[in-house]
Amino acid sequence: MDKIINLGFQENFIQGLANLIEKDYIAKGVDLDRLAFVFGGRRPELFLKRELAARIKKGFVSPSFFSMDDFIDFILSANQGFLKINDLEAAYVLYCKAREKAPQVLKGKDSFSTFLPWAREILAFIEQLDLEDIELKSLKTVELNAAIGFDVPESINALLANVISLRRDFHRELKDKKTYTRGMRYLAAAGLADKLKLPGFDKIIFCNPFYLQGSEKKIVTGLYRNDQAVLVFQGDSEKFSVLKDLEKAFGCEIRGSSSGEAKYKLSLYSCFDSQSQAGTVRQIMRNIKEPGETVIVLPQPQNIITLLSE
């Protein structure tokens, strides 16, 4: 199996994956439990299993399937024990650290209840830094500029001036307890990237990675260099600049197949609220002769119930 596989945008992605598995594993009688698939979420697993079952036509041992979050947890579990921390507990740890190390951040928000909304914003900022694997030294300029004084509210300036120490102390407190936020789990897994090898699998297939955060990029690159990762793309770097960035990271070309024409008709509609959206779709569906061949994509999942009622 090639390390980089490109599927055309007009191709059925699940069937394309099944074709690869059938060619390199099923046809050769190789056990599928040596394969692992990493998708953006959990739902694609159901469709791929169904496709494989239709082709094998008998009982079989399934490959392993992970969302990216599950895969990160799997890596850490294979290397060290850890606990997860919920958002409220993490906010309280941050509050205690701010009260101890940077009381100016708490100005006007001395109690935990009044600081909680602000704590959640700070935690989201720290998590993004962790997910993108931003080093502390990269934040030094921000801290120095904040010490001089940005043209921003005093509370924001106080936070920026202390962002390095807050993040460092927050991490240290949780690591001592072997407790991790989601961002810290990604960061810890990225720290293992250079020596990362998962002996339970022959290949780990990353399915349609369109954008990889800094920590994810380190992890996948480590497995790729160790000949354990296979990347299956759908798209073309000439059309999507984010794929150009991945080309540089993996030293490859991401060129989608141009063979065949798209077999679907795409229509876009705009409405001013959920009720009008559902009513519009109802009117459109009256003229659809084959509803089983139609996909409806809503921008917001909470509107699905209204749509189904219509």
Side-chain angles (χ1 to χ4, degrees), residues 169-186:
D169 292 339
F170 177 71
H171 280 184
R172 185 181 294 130
E173 175 79 14
L174 294 188
K175 284 179 181 177
D176 288 344
K177 300 176 181 177
K178 291 189 176 180
T179 303
Y180 293 83
T181 63
R182 176 172 176 264
M184 288 177 66
R185 297 198 298 275
Y186 275 72

Side-chain angles (χ1 to χ4, degrees), residues 102 104-105 146 153-163:
Q104 60 270 38
V105 174
E154 183 181 349
S155 58
I156 303 292
N157 211 42
L159 170 62
L160 292 173
N162 291 279
V163 65

Side-chain angles (χ1 to χ4, degrees), residues 61-129:
V61 179
S62 171
S64 295
F65 293 90
F66 301 94
S67 66
M68 186 58 83
D69 280 356
D70 293 336
F71 187 62
I72 297 301
D73 291 349
F74 176 79
I75 291 173
L76 286 187
S77 297
N79 289 273
Q80 64 186 69
F82 70 95
L83 297 172
K84 296 181 181 181
I85 187 171
N86 64 48
D87 292 343
L88 190 60
E89 291 174 318
Y92 186 72
V93 171
L94 185 68
Y95 168 72
C96 292
K97 286 299 164 187
R99 187 174 56 184
E100 176 187 352
K101 302 285 188 178
Q104 60 270 38
V105 174
L106 299 179
K107 187 175 181 180
K109 308 175 187 67
D110 296 331
S111 68
F112 176 60
S113 60
T114 55
F115 182 68
L116 181 57
W118 192 218
R120 286 177 170 146
E121 295 297 328
I122 298 172
L123 286 173
F125 178 55
I126 291 176
E127 175 153 304
Q128 198 58 44
L129 294 175

